[in-house]
Amino acid sequence: MSDTATPAPAPQGDSTPGPRRSPIRQMSLRPPRRSTRQRDRRRRRGPWLLSLVAALVVGGGAAVAWVLSPDTDERAVEGASVPDSFAGTWSGRMVQQEAGGDHVIDWDTRIKLEGGAERGSSEWYTLNCRGSLTLAEHEGDRMSFDYVETYDPEDHCVDEAELTLWPGGSEGEIEARWDALSDSGTPMVSTGTLR
């Protein structure tokens, strides 16, 4: 027997003499490497793309802040703040009446205001309610705050109200008036002296 392989006979219809050659020269289980030209283009695009995203985030954030910022038509007082004469924690009993003068309920409140700030907090502790105060108007010796409820587990209180404060008749007192609408739309007024 001879060690040399005999060429396979050519299939019928093939005019090429000798063994048939496959177009596949070498096979690999790994994908071919990408050209460095494409890889370098992607690398150069990365910093540019990150810069664009950062610009959109910053610009978009500024646009959102501009859209959400209060207009001049809104009640917020720009540059105004709580004077030192109103700063501190004030407590007292409020008497609530309907617009027609009918007595509804008496309740106790505690208001905290910080000098130089535009915000404060209020607790209607007899009714187990709390809310935030935002300075809305400051004219002369009167200050008005918008109240927004932040805690009311038993649904006793109104969601929004207006609080007006002015100096009381004696040293260390301020007068308070809460104006609100009940759930049924009835105007409610609560007045009292806070110390």
Side-chain angles (χ1 to χ4, degrees):
M1 233 191 211
S2 155
D3 285 349
T4 58
T6 58
Q12 296 291 336
D14 190 0
S15 62
T16 308
R20 184 164 189 189
R21 297 208 167 131
S22 168
I24 300 174
R25 301 220 192 282
Q26 183 180 9
M27 216 166 158
S28 173
L29 297 177
R30 294 188 183 115
R33 292 184 58 168
R34 294 181 182 251
S35 75
T36 57
R37 186 183 69 198
Q38 294 294 333
R39 188 178 66 225
D40 290 343
R41 185 180 299 162
R42 276 195 308 271
R43 281 187 185 160
R44 278 184 264 136
R45 200 176 337 168
W48 178 83
L49 187 60
L50 287 175
S51 299
L52 177 64
V53 169
L56 287 174
V57 167
V58 170
V64 168
W66 178 76
V67 168
L68 295 178
S69 67
D71 287 344
T72 53
D73 296 352
E74 290 189 18
R75 294 179 35 115
V77 179
E78 239 179 85
S81 60
V82 174
D84 290 338
S85 58
F86 284 87
T89 301
W90 303 89
S91 300
R93 178 158 287 238
M94 305 299 294
V95 177
Q96 184 173 337
Q97 298 175 333
E98 291 180 355
D102 295 331
H103 181 265
V104 178
I105 191 174
D106 292 353
W107 48 276
D108 297 312
T109 188
R110 183 177 305 120
I111 296 169
K112 293 181 183 178
L113 301 173
E114 184 179 333
E118 297 175 7
R119 300 188 183 279
S121 62
S122 175
E123 180 180 5
W124 302 353
Y125 54 89
T126 305
L127 303 172
N128 194 24
C129 301
R130 290 189 293 268
S132 65
L133 297 171
T134 304
L135 184 60
E137 190 175 330
H138 188 183
E139 188 174 321
D141 62 352
R142 289 183 176 253
M143 295 176 35
S144 294
F145 295 86
D146 289 329
Y147 168 87
V148 176
E149 180 182 84
T150 58
Y151 180 80
D152 184 8
E154 298 167 16
D155 202 23
H156 284 299
C157 304
V158 294
D159 296 336
E160 297 177 348
E162 180 182 79
L163 168 65
T164 305
L165 301 174
W166 63 94
S170 302
E171 182 76 26
E173 290 182 348
I174 58 174
E175 297 297 321
R177 175 185 168 118
W178 291 92
D179 290 287
L181 291 176
S182 69
D183 289 339
S184 62
T186 305
M188 305 294 243
V189 177
S190 302
T191 57
T193 301
L194 309 179
R195 295 174 180 81

